[in-house]
Amino acid sequence: MVVAAAHGFLAGVVRPDGEVLAAVHSTANLTPPAAVLELLNRAIAQAEISARHIELAVLGLPGPSLFAGTAGPGPLGGSHLRRFRDWAGRPAADVVGEHLNRPVFCENDANLAALGEAVYGESAAADTVLHVSLTHGTGAGLVIGGKLHRGGSRLAGEIGHLHVDDGGQLCECGARGCFWQTTSIPALLSELATAHGRTFSVSDLDAAAAAGELEIIRALRGFGRSLGRRIADFVVFLDPQAIVVDSTLGAASHVIADGIREAVDQYTPPQLAASVQISSGSLGVSAHLKGAAALVRTENLLVDTGHASVAGRPSGTAPS
């Protein structure tokens, strides 16, 4: 599978039972398709298998889920997503499908991470799981009864586009004052850089949280509370059993989860707050890969491919 997101690409090989055979991650600004296909080739080589043994591919992309078909025109399916979805002027699924000569299924990247944690992570016993993705933006995936809930427009979980400020900055989606502009990891890194006079990276947040640096921990906890204020509304509406925070942030994820916990305790009725488990995920970057395996299983992709689009062709057919 390949995950294409704002801050890098992840390629990997995984069995249908969730066993990850290989994972290759790059935070470099790769230019699709050649560099990304090379990343995929490296993952296949690392898995020590032949490409002919791959049965299908899963492609994780930002924006509306494409699992049930091609996303139509709209604010969140517009030009700002083309760099992820169109590679050299062609649909990314077509490029990957022709490279592997296999069917390709597309899904939202945050949804894959959510499904991976909900099926294979520590929250696997929970019926309703809300997974908060932070590394590549501010988003969420909702898993109910072991299956993804995508919503009618396939945009369920886009919490980064909650409206919070009438006079806010213009978002690339066309609206003003979207939540992610002030409450996202890139925004936090920018604020820390201004406050401390040096640049910060995600790995810096992980290291600082692990080392117990109080200033950074305080900032992370405050970030978690801001995020948790909005998540508290979801708790009231959905009554989830578990909220899982993106674990690719390392030790910082645990601090952010603590901040979310504080906000949920403050802004939701006590019975709801007490019933929801809030924690950092347990799978790291493997969440996306295991999510791809879970997608194959929960949607019966190896058995029945009659309800999804495959690289722009009827499901179950390999690219020619």
Side-chain angles (χ1 to χ4, degrees):
M1 73 157 294
V2 176
V3 175
H7 300 287
F9 290 83
L10 170 68
V13 179
V14 59
R15 295 186 187 277
D17 63 2
E19 179 187 357
V20 177
L21 301 180
V24 181
H25 182 238
S26 174
T27 57
N29 186 21
L30 301 181
T31 302
V36 179
L37 294 180
E38 175 57 29
L39 200 69
L40 181 56
N41 289 341
R42 285 170 52 195
I44 294 172
Q46 187 182 100
E48 298 182 342
I49 63 170
S50 168
R52 63 186 176 85
H53 292 132
I54 295 175
E55 297 185 71
L56 57 83
V58 175
L59 188 58
L61 300 168
S65 169
L66 295 178
F67 184 76
T70 301
L76 293 177
S79 60
H80 68 288
L81 293 174
R82 286 178 189 155
R83 62 191 172 118
F84 303 117
R85 297 178 174 228
D86 292 345
W87 293 356
R90 301 181 59 214
D94 282 354
V95 175
V96 174
E98 289 182 5
H99 182 70
L100 295 175
N101 194 33
R102 290 294 184 272
V104 177
F105 293 85
C106 294
E107 183 54 81
N108 172 270
D109 56 335
N111 281 353
L112 289 177
L115 192 58
E117 288 285 359
V119 174
Y120 294 104
E122 293 180 358
S123 61
D127 180 74
T128 305
V129 179
L130 180 69
H131 179 272
V132 183
S133 293
L134 296 171
T135 307
H136 304 311
T138 303
L142 179 61
V143 180
I144 302 175
K147 297 193 69 173
L148 284 171
H149 175 76
R150 300 179 177 90
S153 62
R154 304 189 296 279
L155 279 168
E158 289 286 348
I159 62 174
H161 291 279
L162 288 171
H163 176 75
V164 295
D165 183 5
D166 286 342
Q169 299 177 26
L170 182 65
C171 176
E172 56 190 8
C173 77
R176 285 190 179 274
C178 287
F179 184 48
W180 74 269
Q181 293 175 316
T182 56
T183 309
S184 66
I185 293 300
L188 176 61
L189 294 175
S190 177
E191 290 177 338
L192 287 171
T194 300
H196 293 269
R198 66 180 182 89
T199 59
F200 281 81
S201 65
V202 170
S203 59
D204 291 330
L205 297 182
D206 177 19
E213 294 184 22
L214 295 181
E215 296 88 348
I216 305 303
I217 287 176
R218 188 176 187 182
L220 288 168
R221 192 182 295 270
F223 173 83
R225 285 195 297 270
S226 297
L227 185 61
R229 176 63 188 89
R230 297 294 167 178
I231 290 176
D233 295 336
F234 281 80
V235 172
V236 173
F237 282 119
L238 298 173
D239 190 15
Q241 292 174 302
I243 296 172
V244 182
V245 179
D246 185 348
S247 60
T248 59
L249 300 173
S253 299
H254 298 280
V255 183
I256 293 170
D258 290 342
I260 294 174
R261 173 85 268 173
E262 292 174 7
V264 169
D265 287 345
Q266 181 175 355
Y267 294 111
T268 64
Q271 187 174 356
L272 284 173
S275 68
V276 60
Q277 175 187 348
I278 302 175
S279 63
S280 172
S282 59
L283 301 180
V285 295
S286 294
H288 292 91
L289 300 175
K290 289 179 177 289
L295 186 74
V296 170
R297 192 177 76 195
T298 58
E299 302 290 349
N300 296 314
L301 300 187
L302 292 177
V303 178
D304 177 12
T305 57
H307 61 282
S309 293
V310 181
R313 284 166 287 275
S315 296
T317 62
S320 58

